[in-house]
Structures are given as C-alpha cells and as structure tokens.
Amino acid sequence: MTFSHTVGGERHRFAGLADLLAKASPARSGDALAGLAAESAEQRVAAQMALADVPLTAFLSESVVPYEADEVTRLIVDTHDADAFAPLAHLTVGGFRDWLLSYDATPETLTAAAPGITPEMAAAASKLMRVQDLVLAARKCRVVTRFRGTIGLPGRLSTRLQPNHPTDDPAGILAAVVDGLLYGSGDAVIGINPAGDSPATLRRLLEMLDALRERHAIPTQTCVLAHVTAQLSAIRAGAPVDLVFQSIAGTEAANRAFGVSLALLDEARQAALELGRGTLGGDVMYFETGQGSALSASAHHGVDQQTCEARAYAVARRFRPLLVNTVVGFIGPEYLYDGKQIARAGLEDHFCGKLMGLPMGCDVCYTNHAEADQDDADSLLTLLGAAGCTYVMGVPGADDVMLGYQSTSFHDALYVREVLGLRPAPEFEAWLRSMGITDDAGRLSGCRPGALAGEDAVARLTAGLAR
C-alpha cells in the first residue's frame, strides 16, 4: 500500500505504512540516524496530512513488521479485540484524533476501547497531536492497578523510590530509602538498579528491602531490577520477590537482544503470581521501555522509534503489569537530542501507553551529554502531572550516582503534587500520616515553622538498621 499528498505544489509519496509513520513523526535524532526521518518540514506535513486520511482499519491489514518474522506482531494481530474496536472502525487516523479530544471520549469509553487499539493506531494519532492534545487525551485515560497499594486513581501521583548505589552498599541504599520515605516517596515501588546481579547480591538486596518494609508495615512493593532470569532464579531459591522487572522493546529481535521472549516473561509472571505476596491485587510485573531501544539493537525493521516504542506497550499489556514507565531520555542524544525532543517523546509515550490501557509512568531524565538541563525536566514533569501520569521517579538529589544520569528528586515529586493538588496512593498516604511523616493535610511534618524533619519518624525508620 502506498500513500501520497501534495504540499506546495509538490507531490510526496510514501512506500507503505512504516514509511508514512516515520515521515510523519516530529523531528528526532534517532530517526535521522536511521535514515527514516522526513527530509524537510514540507515532507513531514505532507506525511501527516496523508496519515490523517488513513482508515484505522488499514492497520489491521498491513503490519509494519512482518507477521511471519516477529512474535510481537503476532501478539498484536492475534490478540486484537474486534468488539472493542468496532465503535472506532469507521474512523480515519485524523477522525480518531478528533474523537480522542472530544467530549465523547470519556474515561469509560476509553477504557472500553483500549483492547481494540493497536500500537500503530496509537502512534499514528500521536503524530497528529500537539503537546496540549497529548496532555488532554492522556488525562482522560484511567488505569488502576493493585499489589499492596492502589496505583493510578484520579488525583494521585505515585513515585518509584530509586535508591541506587554504585557498590550496592546496604548502608548507602538504606539511607536513601529512609530519605525518600521521609519525603513521601515510594508508593509505586522501592526499586533498586543493582550494580551487580549475582545471586548473592540480588538475594541480599531483596531481603534487606523486604525486612524494612515488613518492620514498618509499609504498604508498598519492592523490586531489584536485575534481569528476569536472575529474578526467576531468586524466586525458585525462596527470595522475597514482589514485582518481576524487565526492560522490553517493540520487536522480537530487540527483545532477543535484551535476552527475553514472550514465553520467558509469561513464565516469570506465573512464578511471581504463585508467591501470592500481593495483599490488594495480583499485578506483579514491572516493565521499562524507551524510544531508541530497538534502533540501538539494529532491530527496528525500518520502523521509526516512536512506533517501535508503542509496540513495546503491546508486550507490556499482555502481562497485566502493576507499573510501566518510559525511561525517556536515558538512551542519549543519538536518539532524543535535546530537551524539546525528550519532552515530546515523554508525552507521546505516556499518551500511547495510557491509551492502550497501561499504568504509564515516566522517568523524566536526561544524560549528561544531551542538550538538556533541569529546567527541561521541570517542564516535562509539570506537563506529565497535568496529563495524569501514574508515577515518576524519586532519586536522591535527582542525580543517580550509579547509573550516571539526571532524573527527578523527592523534592520534585513534592513540587508537582503541591502545584497540581495531587496525592500519593491512598494506602501509602494513610501510612505517612500514621508515621508522623505528614499531617492530616498531607503536608510534610518537617515543613511546619520550627519543626524538624519528622524526628520521631526518623527514629522509628532508622531503628535497627545498624543490625
């Protein structure tokens, strides 16, 4: 199938859906690196106008990655919910975008439609949207998940407490955990990226986090973000695994580069479910994604990086995760060059994930060699808060000393909660009050005039840590 459109007297032609989607993408360095980007602003506009006229049903008859060659494509095609799609089947991509922004697209209708929306449909709509469109449409999508807490309720913003340490030093990690808890962080998950993933390290970190959580009855979940095979081994050895983590991508070849397959992820999910550690629900998976991952593995099949990213959400959706987040600026400026491209990508990813029914968060981040700074992160954080983002990261000082990149801090989460009137997950909010970390109005106890930062809570949380 070919497509064309005339702009300024010049007729632009596009060789199939993959080419059309790539040329319609807002500018980003990764697509230029791959030779997929539009060659001019005029060509990009022509592609967007041609894409607006494409029927949504076209995405059901033409795959951007061949069905025979890719298990992610087979997953998308074989699990498509025709009944959920039926109310949208008459729409073009442009009409779909208009419907998403209309009063008819309520949280209830969007939830019902989600199983019928393919990644390519979501990506196509996002390419026709301005920033405000991505915020408005995503804000209407409601996705609620449960393990020990309830994540994703309206008016809530959760955080992952990320206490990484360059040598996995227990004292350093625990100090960061206590620091984050005292700032009201950690209701989504307390999750460590380990510097090493030996079985001994993995088990030690899991047991340490679980002991702290149990000692203080913290209504959250813990995770050590080792490879899924290491986590499976830990489960079999009797380690206290709450959530199973894995980085995923949007093609079979890219997932193979991560050392995973759909079958392996299914095995891991079943193993975690059998532990029965959740008290409110059984959403046991945690996935991270990021634009450029398939391209960096030379596994993108000529598909633009944002469409590949949306395809990763089909993988995530298959396993009913508690949490998904795009680590939006982590891969580097070769894929998202500056603050503008990172912000656009973060909003696209959040929109596509929520539209497809995922509990979507975002690591608002950048590497030190990107053309970005903390002002760019503040702007994206604020936009995501307005868009109903499920959760963001809480990193001590916003500077991850193990991974070597810039993210968002405990203070940043407090800022966006206060400015936008957002609160933590309800169970965690009640725990913060019970510990004296916050008052009945949700304010940090240490923020009152003349008060020290939760002296009693500090004493209680640090009691016994030396042991």
Side-chain angles (χ1 to χ4, degrees):
M1 187 183 303
T2 60
F3 306 90
S4 65
H5 200 90
T6 300
V7 171
E10 180 179 357
R11 191 146 193 90
H12 298 268
R13 292 178 172 80
F14 309 97
L17 278 177
D19 185 42
L20 181 63
L21 288 165
K23 297 297 190 294
S25 290
R28 63 207 59 200
S29 52
D31 290 339
L33 177 69
L36 301 173
E39 297 174 2
S40 65
E42 288 80 7
Q43 188 183 47
R44 181 173 294 110
V45 169
Q48 290 171 340
M49 295 179 75
L51 181 60
D53 291 334
V54 173
L56 289 181
T57 52
F59 295 97
L60 302 178
S61 58
E62 180 178 341
S63 298
V64 297
V65 180
Y67 181 93
E68 300 77 12
D70 186 85
E71 70 172 358
V72 177
T73 298
R74 293 193 289 275
L75 173 69
I76 293 167
V77 173
D78 295 347
T79 62
H80 181 251
D81 189 326
D83 291 335
F85 178 67
L88 309 177
H90 65 289
L91 296 174
T92 62
V93 173
F96 183 40
R97 177 257 184 200
D98 292 345
W99 177 78
L100 289 168
L101 300 175
S102 74
Y103 295 126
D104 293 332
T106 64
E108 294 75 21
T109 57
L110 288 166
T111 297
I117 297 171
T118 70
E120 292 82 1
M121 292 176 193
S126 75
K127 296 174 193 296
L128 305 184
M129 289 180 159
R130 296 165 57 185
V131 162
Q132 64 176 252
D133 301 337
L134 294 168
V135 170
L136 175 59
R139 185 177 178 83
K140 296 192 287 184
C141 298
R142 304 275 168 79
V143 183
V144 178
T145 57
R146 294 176 175 86
F147 190 77
R148 290 196 188 94
T150 307
I151 310 297
L153 291 170
R156 307 278 177 170
L157 175 68
S158 295
T159 56
R160 169 188 161 189
L161 202 172
Q162 184 170 308
N164 297 342
H165 192 280
T167 63
D168 293 330
D169 177 63
I173 290 170
L174 285 173
V177 171
V178 170
D179 189 31
L181 292 171
L182 290 170
Y183 280 104
S185 185
D187 52 332
V189 64
I190 302 174
I192 304 170
N193 295 94
D197 64 352
S198 69
T201 296
L202 179 56
R203 179 152 193 161
R204 174 168 53 85
L205 295 178
L206 285 166
E207 290 178 345
M208 180 181 70
L209 290 181
D210 195 56
L212 179 68
R213 181 194 61 78
E214 284 201 330
R215 182 182 302 129
H216 300 291
I218 308 171
T220 190
Q221 33 285 330
T222 62
C223 185
V224 178
L225 283 68
H227 191 270
V228 64
T229 53
Q231 294 168 87
L232 260 173
S233 295
I235 290 173
R236 291 166 181 152
V241 175
D242 286 346
L243 304 184
V244 173
F245 165 82
Q246 182 57 45
S247 294
I248 56 173
T251 69
E252 179 180 351
N255 284 322
R256 194 181 308 123
F258 282 139
V260 299
S261 64
L262 299 181
L264 177 60
L265 294 175
D266 188 61
E267 180 184 355
R269 179 173 181 266
Q270 291 304 315
L273 284 171
E274 288 170 9
L275 295 179
R277 292 176 59 82
T279 54
L280 295 184
D283 300 322
V284 296
M285 301 299 285
Y286 172 19
F287 295 118
E288 286 188 346
T289 66
Q291 287 195 28
S293 57
L295 175 57
S296 68
S298 299
H300 60 296
H301 295 272
V303 178
D304 71 272
Q305 65 183 37
Q306 192 250 331
T307 302
C308 279
E309 171 72 4
R311 285 169 55 91
Y313 304 151
V315 176
R317 182 166 62 178
R318 162 71 177 79
F319 299 100
R320 297 175 55 102
L322 180 79
L323 304 167
V324 180
N325 73 266
T326 169
V327 192
V328 67
F330 184 73
I331 303 182
E334 300 84 359
Y335 305 95
L336 295 169
Y337 178 72
D338 57 15
K340 180 180 177 66
Q341 291 189 8
I342 291 170
R344 172 81 199 189
L347 292 169
E348 289 170 347
D349 296 349
H350 176 254
F351 160 77
C352 288
K354 291 290 279 293
L355 185 62
M356 292 173 61
L358 290 176
M360 202 70 196
C362 183
D363 189 343
V364 179
C365 64
Y366 59 95
T367 57
N368 290 313
H369 61 311
E371 290 294 321
D373 58 27
Q374 211 62 39
D375 286 343
D376 295 310
D378 287 350
S379 298
L380 177 53
L381 175 63
T382 308
L383 287 166
L384 286 166
C389 189
T390 301
Y391 72 107
V392 295
M393 305 300 119
V395 176
D399 185 358
D400 192 302
V401 295
M402 195 280 281
L403 293 174
Y405 78 118
Q406 307 302 309
S407 185
T408 48
S409 71
F410 308 137
H411 304 75
D412 295 333
L414 288 176
Y415 145 74
V416 77
R417 281 174 175 165
E418 182 169 349
V419 166
L420 299 177
L422 303 171
R423 296 148 58 198
E427 300 84 2
F428 193 79
E429 183 179 38
W431 178 81
L432 291 172
R433 286 197 303 271
S434 73
M435 289 290 291
I437 295 172
T438 60
D439 62 19
D440 290 341
R443 300 171 299 187
L444 288 182
S445 298
C447 293
R448 295 196 303 271
L452 295 176
E455 285 183 319
D456 183 56
V458 171
R460 293 166 68 185
L461 284 171
T462 56
L465 290 188
R467 296 196 297 271

